[in-house]
Amino acid sequence: MDEGFIIFVVLAFLFIYSEIRATRSKINFLENKIDTLLKNNGIVYDEKLHVPKDVLTAITLGHKLKAIRLYRDQTGASFKEAQEIIGRLVKDI
């Protein structure tokens, strides 16, 4: 009984893992298509348009860590993602 359960858990894990990889692959493919469409049509994507106003305010006041925290709270982004986006916005300002 225990061996059967372990095999079931391993197979379930492998299935879920393969589904996550397939989903990530599809998302990357769609992001590349969108980027290509934007580029080919001369559309400039401005990340500032999709950043909450209080995050931009914190950046302009020089509160980078507060901006990262606010961005994470409002978007659910990881620390690394928020840090990269806020870092790019700080360079632009």
Side-chain angles (χ1 to χ4, degrees), residues 38-91:
L38 290 172
K39 182 179 177 184
N40 289 341
N41 290 303
I43 300 171
V44 177
Y45 176 74
D46 188 1
E47 288 184 352
K48 292 181 199 173
L49 298 176
H50 302 287
V51 176
K53 186 176 181 179
D54 54 344
V55 174
L56 290 174
T57 303
I59 292 170
T60 57
L61 294 174
H63 303 291
K64 185 176 177 181
L65 291 176
K66 182 178 180 180
I68 291 171
R69 182 181 50 80
L70 289 170
Y71 186 81
R72 290 187 68 208
D73 290 344
Q74 295 179 14
T75 64
S78 70
F79 180 79
K80 184 179 178 182
E81 292 170 330
Q83 188 177 24
E84 289 172 359
I85 290 172
I86 300 302
R88 279 188 258 142
L89 292 173
V90 166
K91 289 179 184 176

Side-chain angles (χ1 to χ4, degrees), residues 17-29:
Y17 179 75
S18 68
E19 289 297 312
I20 290 172
R21 286 190 61 185
T23 302
R24 284 183 183 163
S25 176
K26 289 176 185 176
I27 290 171
N28 287 336
F29 179 72

